[in-house]
Amino acid sequence: MNQQQFIEALKEMGIELSDTQIEQFNKYFELLVEWNEKMNLTAITDLEGVYLKHFYDSISASFYFDFTKVESVCDVGAGAGFPSLPIKICFPHLHVTIVDSLNKRITFLNHLSEQLQLDNVTFVHSRAEEFGQNDKYREKYDVVTARAVARLSVLSELCIPLAKEGGSFVALKAAAGPEELKDAKKAITTLGAALKEEFSYLLPVEESERTLYIFDKIKKTPKKYPRKPGVPNKTPII
């Protein structure tokens, strides 16, 4: 997917990019490739791959979840900024917080946001488990997103505690989504959420399978969650 195809594909889905936004994506690609030579941010560095598998794939969440109706977004383990920063470029009103456990990624994200002139973005160097127990962040966000971080039974424990009551958890998954959902059912209920909607679709061009889950936060998360760093991964709630 080249830049023009990307612009057209978004337009078909109702997102019309301004010249400024097009330039932001162009600069994002350049900086990603440049910094990737110094640190491991992504295995995908060709233009067509980045525009399809990072930019378009991230923004596809907005085809099913209405980001115009929320303000605060927390992205857990976003790595090089996916999915939240491509979404932020398309929906500039959003206040985005990214939490990541690697400080060098945070350094990259700070530089990236300065170069793209993004406002209302915050980057926090922390383990997601500790971040979720911090009263400054816990149950403070309209929507929490995550893409390719961990299996859903683990991811739920990292993300659901951050969503406010009445808020949402949006999980971007690949073909294994339905299997992961079965294993995550107890965790989702225990943590105070419920499945609202699920969508299956194909990424254009390569036609790889994608599954998007939208969970409603229906009650407060019990205080004990998330547990200490590493515990959710070793012993998920099942």
Side-chain angles (χ1 to χ4, degrees), residues 140-224:
K140 293 288 191 288
Y141 299 95
D142 297 329
V143 56
V144 182
T145 60
R147 171 182 176 256
V149 175
R151 59 198 191 279
L152 200 53
S153 53
V154 178
L155 198 57
S156 298
E157 188 169 347
L158 305 180
C159 294
I160 293 170
L162 297 166
K164 59 172 71 161
E165 272 187 274
S168 306
F169 164 38
V170 176
L172 291 79
K173 288 283 167 191
E179 202 56 45
E180 289 187 28
L181 182 65
K182 275 186 212 159
D183 294 340
K185 283 195 167 151
K186 187 178 177 192
I188 290 155
T189 306
T190 303
L191 295 158
L195 180 63
K196 183 190 181 188
E197 292 176 290
E198 58 184 287
F199 301 94
S200 296
Y201 54 98
L202 297 175
L203 201 60
V205 187
E206 63 173 32
E207 303 217 317
S208 48
E209 292 177 48
R210 293 289 183 269
T211 316
L212 186 89
Y213 294 110
I214 300 171
F215 301 95
D216 281 340
K217 179 76 172 276
I218 53 176
K219 60 182 188 211
K220 280 191 179 302
T221 299
K223 257 301 195 204
K224 65 183 276 195

Side-chain angles (χ1 to χ4, degrees), residues 2-236:
N2 63 32
Q3 191 187 60
Q4 195 52 43
Q5 289 167 322
F6 170 73
I7 293 163
E8 291 299 323
L10 289 186
K11 196 173 177 181
E12 279 174 30
M13 299 306 293
I15 298 172
E16 204 149 344
L17 297 179
S18 67
D19 290 346
T20 301
Q21 289 166 316
I22 292 165
E23 184 47 41
Q24 283 174 313
F25 280 113
N26 186 39
K27 191 87 181 155
Y28 197 153
F29 167 69
E30 288 174 359
L31 288 166
L32 182 67
V33 172
E34 181 191 321
W35 279 64
N36 203 57
E37 289 173 11
K38 298 181 266 183
M39 62 176 78
N40 182 25
L41 291 165
T42 175
I44 302 161
T45 54
D46 63 296
L47 185 140
E48 284 83 0
V50 170
Y51 269 85
L52 175 67
K53 296 177 185 176
H54 284 326
F55 296 165
Y56 186 89
D57 193 27
S58 294
I59 297 161
S60 65
S62 74
F63 306 157
Y64 306 98
F65 180 86
D66 189 354
F67 283 93
T68 65
K69 297 215 169 110
V70 295
E71 186 173 278
S72 56
V73 178
C74 182
D75 191 0
V76 174
F82 308 122
S84 58
L85 292 189
I87 291 169
K88 162 74 176 169
I89 292 170
C90 292
F91 302 93
H93 74 282
L94 292 172
H95 290 233
V96 171
T97 301
I98 289 178
V99 55
D100 200 278
S101 60
L102 268 187
N103 202 34
K104 61 182 184 179
R105 286 198 204 121
I106 299 293
T107 305
F108 164 72
L109 292 169
N110 272 310
H111 179 73
L112 177 71
S113 69
E114 281 167 22
Q115 294 297 308
L116 301 188
Q117 297 182 319
L118 299 176
D119 58 2
N120 297 314
V121 288
T122 306
F123 307 111
V124 182
H125 175 223
S126 173
R127 290 290 297 263
E129 296 94 333
E130 291 165 340
F131 186 82
Q133 282 292 358
N134 186 329
D135 288 339
K136 187 177 170 187
Y137 308 113
R138 185 182 177 86
E139 298 188 319
K140 293 288 191 288
Y141 299 95
D142 297 329
V143 56
V144 182
T145 60
R147 171 182 176 256
V149 175
R151 59 198 191 279
L152 200 53
S153 53
V154 178
L155 198 57
S156 298
E157 188 169 347
L158 305 180
C159 294
I160 293 170
L162 297 166
K164 59 172 71 161
E165 272 187 274
S168 306
F169 164 38
V170 176
L172 291 79
K173 288 283 167 191
E179 202 56 45
E180 289 187 28
L181 182 65
K182 275 186 212 159
D183 294 340
K185 283 195 167 151
K186 187 178 177 192
I188 290 155
T189 306
T190 303
L191 295 158
L195 180 63
K196 183 190 181 188
E197 292 176 290
E198 58 184 287
F199 301 94
S200 296
Y201 54 98
L202 297 175
L203 201 60
V205 187
E206 63 173 32
E207 303 217 317
S208 48
E209 292 177 48
R210 293 289 183 269
T211 316
L212 186 89
Y213 294 110
I214 300 171
F215 301 95
D216 281 340
K217 179 76 172 276
I218 53 176
K219 60 182 188 211
K220 280 191 179 302
T221 299
K223 257 301 195 204
K224 65 183 276 195
Y225 301 109
R227 292 165 292 168
K228 287 190 168 63
V231 176
N233 198 35
K234 284 197 197 107
T235 54

